[in-house]
Amino acid sequence: MTSEEFFRLLRQGQIPEVIVLSGNEPFLIDRARKAVRSAVFGAGKDDFNDNQFEAKGTSAEAVIETAVTLPVFAVRRLVTVKDIHQWPAAELDLLLSYIERPVPETCLLLTAEKLDSRRKSTQLLKKASAFVEFKPLAERELPGYISQYLRQHDFAMTSDALVLFCSMVSGSLHDVHSELEKLIVFLGEKRLIDIAEVQAVVSRGRAENIFELGHAVGRGDAATALRVVARLTSCGEPPLRILTLLVRHFRQMWKVRELQVQRCPEKEIPAMAGVPYFAVSDLLKQGKRFSRVDFMAGYEMFLETDLAMKSSGADADALLESLVLQLAARKR
């Protein structure tokens, strides 16, 4: 089931007896969870019939016992179990006995980061429930998502401001919405967001540090690059997110370099590469230090580091530092 179909059901008052919200985008899952709760209880609060569990430390038996209990002075009971991906297969199998014959007066809401599709329990969950998967937005989808959100709230953003905004925020929708809310408050009675508002409101710390990191790597300054990495990690920035933003910086650098090689007029590069106009000059300088072969090799390093961070159990900070040193050593 798509997210659009799911929200349409809720708006129509059709609440599935079993709902599974899965994926690696916690902001979207949390929004969907709140929508389910609103559909069940409206704007009110129900301490008797709103039961919440964390899978870790909770048995499927306890969840089932609550789910089969009829609601108290209400039409429905909501039973929420978070992070069921942390349950062993035996617990999920036990829960399936309930899912095959759910209590009509109960809405069982399950959330998970990722479920193994090879497991029989996952396959049965997909068949027997309203199963909705929320994936993180791809970088190319972010501008459209932001524009749509602003339209829904009667706001708009100029194209230049949108490019700048996307370059300054991470891919996390929590961060995106946090910055958008600050912008809307800052606007007052205005409805159009321009570059000036973005520059005045959106936090530049991460963007400036990431650009400084990319610039240091581009000119082969390993010492500065390592200092920036240490600064970011000491501020709580996850290494995997730093890697993601570094990949984006290199993608932008490669785009503008390729357009320059193709003799594209510099004034047209920002729109064609999707980068802020004031960043083009520095990106071109950095890009000149890398050949096409260097860029391709860099992407192989990004992939290897990403896989190692996610699967090997190695020190993510050390992997990031090693990557930065390798990239800086490729200065032409």
Side-chain angles (χ1 to χ4, degrees):
M1 177 181 294
T2 66
S3 60
E4 291 79 8
E5 293 170 339
F6 174 68
F7 286 117
R8 189 182 307 121
L9 278 180
L10 295 183
R11 287 194 298 269
Q12 293 171 350
Q14 301 177 41
I15 305 172
E17 294 168 358
V18 181
I19 300 169
V20 181
L21 307 176
S22 174
N24 293 317
E25 183 43 79
F27 179 88
L28 295 178
I29 289 180
D30 190 54
R31 185 183 67 170
R33 183 183 59 78
K34 290 177 180 177
V36 172
R37 192 184 183 286
S38 178
V40 173
F41 299 123
K45 183 180 180 182
D46 193 330
D47 294 329
F48 293 105
N49 302 298
D50 188 3
N51 308 103
Q52 301 187 36
F53 299 91
E54 297 281 349
K56 189 175 182 179
T58 302
S59 67
E61 184 179 0
V63 172
I64 293 172
E65 184 179 345
T66 305
V68 298
T69 303
L70 293 177
V72 179
F73 304 120
V75 176
R76 281 186 180 273
R77 176 181 296 279
L78 175 62
V79 179
T80 304
V81 188
K82 299 179 181 178
D83 300 329
I84 63 168
H85 59 278
Q86 296 184 356
W87 261 345
E91 294 291 337
L92 277 175
D93 290 342
L94 180 59
L95 189 66
L96 287 173
S97 63
Y98 170 83
I99 290 174
E100 291 172 351
R101 294 187 299 276
V103 174
E105 292 84 2
T106 294
C107 173
L108 177 61
L109 173 60
L110 311 171
T111 72
E113 284 184 7
K114 187 173 178 61
L115 294 172
D116 190 342
S117 59
R118 296 170 297 181
R119 282 186 175 180
K120 183 179 178 181
S121 58
T122 302
Q123 296 170 8
L124 290 174
L125 271 176
K126 289 184 176 182
K127 291 180 181 178
S129 66
F131 193 100
V132 191
E133 188 172 6
F134 295 94
K135 298 179 181 178
L137 291 182
E139 184 179 343
R140 65 179 182 278
E141 297 174 315
L142 187 57
Y145 176 89
I146 292 169
S147 297
Q148 182 182 28
Y149 174 84
L150 290 172
R151 281 197 301 271
Q152 290 172 347
H153 293 79
D154 297 322
F155 287 92
M157 186 180 288
T158 66
S159 58
D160 286 343
L162 182 59
V163 170
L164 175 60
F165 182 88
C166 291
S167 73
M168 294 177 69
V169 296
S170 72
S172 163
L173 288 183
H174 181 273
D175 290 345
V176 169
H177 280 266
S178 175
E179 298 296 346
L180 285 174
E181 289 169 7
K182 288 175 3 186
L183 270 172
I184 289 173
V185 171
F186 180 79
L187 281 177
E189 296 182 358
K190 286 185 62 178
R191 313 305 289 181
L192 180 65
I193 302 169
D194 207 340
I195 282 182
E197 284 83 23
V198 174
Q199 291 175 324
V201 174
V202 179
S203 173
R204 300 192 63 90
R206 179 188 293 115
E208 289 177 344
N209 280 322
I210 289 297
F211 192 80
E212 184 181 352
L213 174 59
H215 193 68
V217 168
R219 65 176 184 264
D221 187 349
T224 299
L226 289 175
R227 282 199 299 272
V228 177
V229 168
R231 188 190 311 157
L232 286 163
T233 54
S234 67
C235 292
E237 197 70 38
L240 193 58
R241 185 177 295 177
I242 297 174
L243 174 63
T244 300
L245 294 173
L246 187 56
V247 171
R248 182 170 71 177
H249 182 87
F250 261 67
R251 184 182 300 117
Q252 292 176 341
M253 189 162 57
W254 194 355
K255 283 181 179 178
V256 298
R257 176 58 179 157
E258 286 292 325
L259 289 169
Q260 184 186 48
V261 170
Q262 295 168 17
R263 300 187 182 280
C264 175
E266 188 168 329
K267 64 181 180 180
E268 297 179 11
I269 289 179
M272 296 184 69
V275 300
Y277 67 88
F278 53 79
V280 169
S281 178
D282 280 332
L283 287 170
L284 286 173
K285 290 177 184 177
Q286 295 172 40
K288 287 179 180 179
R289 298 177 182 273
F290 292 83
S291 69
R292 186 173 296 172
V293 172
D294 290 330
F295 279 119
M296 294 175 67
Y299 269 85
E300 289 180 7
M301 293 180 202
F302 290 141
L303 179 59
E304 290 171 2
T305 304
D306 180 78
L307 292 174
M309 284 183 176
K310 292 177 178 176
S311 60
S312 70
D315 186 332
D317 288 355
L319 288 170
L320 187 60
E321 290 173 358
S322 175
L323 170 69
V324 167
L325 287 172
Q326 292 180 71
L327 291 171
R330 287 186 169 267
K331 185 189 78 168
R332 296 182 68 198

